[in-house]
Amino acid sequence: MKTLSTEVLIVGGGIVGASAALVLAKAGRRVTLLERDLCGARSSGINYGGVRRQGRPVVQLPLSQRAHQIWAGLEALIGTTGEYERSGHFKLARSTADMQALEAYAELSRPYGLGIELISGERLRQQCPWLGGAAVGGSLCPEDGQANPRLVSPAFARAAQAAGAEIIERCELMQVVHDGRDFVAEARRGDEIVQLRAEVMINCAGAWATRLASAFGEDVPLSSGHPSMVVTEPIAHFLPWSLGVEGGSIYCRQVARGNVVLGGGRGYELDDKRARASHDSILGLLPQAAALLPALRHVHIIRTWSGVEGYLPDHQPVIGPSATQAGLLHGFGFCGAGFQIGPAAGEALAELVLHGRSAIALDAFSIARFAPAAAVVEPVGSSDLLSSHLERKIS
């Protein structure tokens, strides 16, 4: 049995875990990232690739704005642009009620500086000649955009490794306990058993994070969701913005080589690690796409895919300290919307390790909100308990 010791053990090599590892490694901490598969290969790599602030719950906007700043320096941070561009994100309204909802959100989000522009009527037809008659208006967030998750997410892990983090891929966590001083984890890499001892643990295990949380008495109602995604053959450029629709149901963007990436509906589970796009969801998606974007009529689909994402019933992630175990932090349950906000969530988790507090308040994302009413206690880390623990353990 191989035994490794580290200051911080991160479980899960998606964009949140890898960004936390990057910040910690740059700060000089000994950090080990454990990934069951390949870093960035799960929900962080199979998502749509939208890098948007518009449409997020207002409580997420401070983190989302911080992420917006991080994305601005992406190439310097991780060594690649990852095809990131601030193309703009346009959210379509298909009815008067939809347009009123977009107007309300624009007003609600105004203090956060998203710069949303409302477009309707004749201006819509002049500015968006590529739109079909199904749209009556929309809201444009000009600095939102898109990126290639299959490039960006693994690059965060590579950057963390270059900064000094130890990245262990294809290594599955089997069990973990706390012995009163350290977390003691046992993992399997092929036929090899690896024991890891860590002073602090960060749970970024995505749709499987509840297994680790449950080991410390935190049962969270996390469920799996499976996005249904397609990409078309390359066609002439016509779509300037990444698109969403008020109320959901469809989203799309066109990449530099001309392919159009579309998503909507749900796929189906093959097993607890794999999923596929469903025929029903694709057949429901295509008529909507053609009605909104006539240029997509008669265009061939060349690939479909799905994956496994973690969803919580209130559609808010868990970010912050455990409510039961000092030194344990969580970052999971991003409900299919973690790609843009992920670098800021990872940074906030790293700040908790480094300073005992984060620059942005995380109270709304506490795991304690899922504790039974009779069992609610002050979350470990919302007071000086986490700070004193971390100072004792890794200063």
Side-chain angles (χ1 to χ4, degrees), residues 31-224:
V31 56
T32 300
L33 188 154
L34 195 69
E35 167 55 45
R36 183 184 62 190
D37 300 301
L38 296 175
C39 290
R42 293 297 177 178
S43 60
S44 291
I46 59 88
N47 66 84
Y48 161 68
V51 186
R52 63 166 180 86
R53 297 162 295 162
Q54 179 177 207
R56 288 188 177 275
V58 171
V59 71
Q60 291 185 17
L61 288 180
L63 267 179
S64 190
Q65 286 290 75
R66 173 59 191 141
H68 189 61
Q69 296 171 349
I70 297 172
W71 279 94
L74 189 70
E75 185 172 15
L77 181 65
I78 64 172
T80 179
T81 65
E83 298 179 5
Y84 172 57
E85 59 173 320
R86 291 187 170 177
S87 58
H89 175 260
F90 191 54
K91 197 164 193 180
L92 295 167
R94 293 184 286 193
S95 68
T96 300
D98 285 350
M99 196 65 201
Q100 290 172 343
L102 293 179
E103 291 166 355
Y105 184 83
E107 186 60 33
L108 195 64
S109 63
R110 193 179 306 279
Y112 298 93
L114 272 61
I116 288 176
E117 303 172 17
L118 296 168
I119 303 174
S120 61
E122 184 57 31
R123 183 186 168 200
L124 179 73
R125 300 305 161 197
Q126 292 176 353
Q127 197 164 344
C128 309
W130 37 267
L131 267 179
V136 301
S139 62
L140 174 66
C141 193
E143 291 193 351
D144 281 359
Q146 56 185 291
N148 187 335
R150 294 179 181 271
L151 300 178
V152 171
S153 299
F156 267 94
R158 290 196 300 271
Q161 187 173 44
E166 182 169 9
I167 309 296
I168 306 177
E169 296 181 308
R170 299 193 185 280
C171 190
E172 184 173 7
L173 180 68
M174 305 305 294
Q175 62 181 17
V176 60
V177 297
H178 195 276
D179 67 2
R181 176 175 175 80
D182 293 326
F183 292 94
V184 182
E186 189 173 289
R188 179 181 290 124
R189 180 170 53 183
D191 295 329
E192 180 184 28
I193 301 298
V194 182
Q195 185 184 81
L196 303 103
R197 299 187 68 92
E199 299 160 1
V200 174
M201 177 175 282
I202 306 179
N203 175 16
C204 296
W208 303 272
T210 188
R211 299 176 186 177
L212 198 160
S214 295
F216 294 96
E218 296 183 293
D219 295 320
V220 179
L222 186 71
S223 61
S224 296

Side-chain angles (χ1 to χ4, degrees), residues 253-335:
R253 62 187 183 92
Q254 189 170 28
V255 304
R257 65 188 65 85
N259 309 77
V260 178
V261 181
L262 299 106
R266 291 296 174 197
Y268 61 93
E269 180 181 86
L270 292 175
D271 54 41
D272 71 336
K273 299 177 184 178
R274 301 176 302 156
R276 283 183 178 169
S278 72
H279 290 142
D280 287 347
S281 65
I282 294 170
L283 292 175
L285 172 67
L286 298 183
Q288 294 184 69
L292 288 169
L293 304 169
L296 295 181
R297 292 172 183 165
H298 312 302
V299 171
H300 291 99
I301 291 172
I302 60 173
R303 186 165 66 91
T304 70
W305 72 94
S306 186
V308 185
E309 298 173 330
Y311 285 77
L312 290 164
D314 60 1
H315 297 283
Q316 298 287 6
V318 167
I319 311 171
S322 164
T324 62
Q325 176 62 59
L328 175 63
L329 303 173
H330 299 292
F332 65 85
F334 288 85
C335 304

